[in-house]
Amino acid sequence: PPVAPMEVVIRGDGSLLLRDRDKGGEERRVTNAELVSLLQKRQATNPEQPVVIAADKDVRYEAVMKVMDELQRASVKRVGLLVKPTGG
């Protein structure tokens, strides 16, 4: 069966949350270093583990790109963006 993605949430204040959809949406506040370490461990046991990045609407684009770049440099694979459609 397909694996639910791990969700990295970037808050307006710059803090990071890691949401594990496989564990009922369990959320954990993490530092950048903890985020990289946890995702590397998850992908070591499941190389197909997808990761999506979601950001509050007031988060600057540069903050999202910084997190994406950090994950890519740490060889975290299957990273994408979570986009919420707007009404209309």
Side-chain angles (χ1 to χ4, degrees):
V3 178
M6 297 289 289
E7 190 174 327
V8 178
V9 181
I10 306 171
R11 296 283 183 216
D13 64 2
S15 63
L16 299 173
L17 292 175
L18 184 59
R19 183 177 295 142
D20 190 342
R21 291 184 178 178
D22 274 342
K23 294 184 178 176
E26 175 184 301
E27 289 184 351
R28 174 178 172 180
R29 192 178 191 111
V30 294
T31 65
N32 284 18
E34 290 171 327
L35 174 68
V36 168
S37 176
L38 289 167
L39 292 176
Q40 285 177 325
K41 285 178 189 173
R42 180 62 70 96
Q43 287 192 338
T45 58
N46 182 2
E48 295 303 311
Q49 173 67 59
V51 177
V52 293
I53 298 173
D56 289 349
K57 65 180 179 172
D58 53 341
V59 171
R60 295 181 56 86
Y61 181 76
E62 290 84 10
V64 175
M65 292 307 298
K66 181 181 173 189
V67 171
M68 284 188 78
D69 184 52
E70 203 167 320
L71 295 178
Q72 287 177 338
R73 282 188 283 123
S75 299
V76 175
K77 300 172 185 65
R78 299 200 62 198
V79 177
L81 296 175
L82 180 65
V83 179
K84 294 180 182 174
T86 57

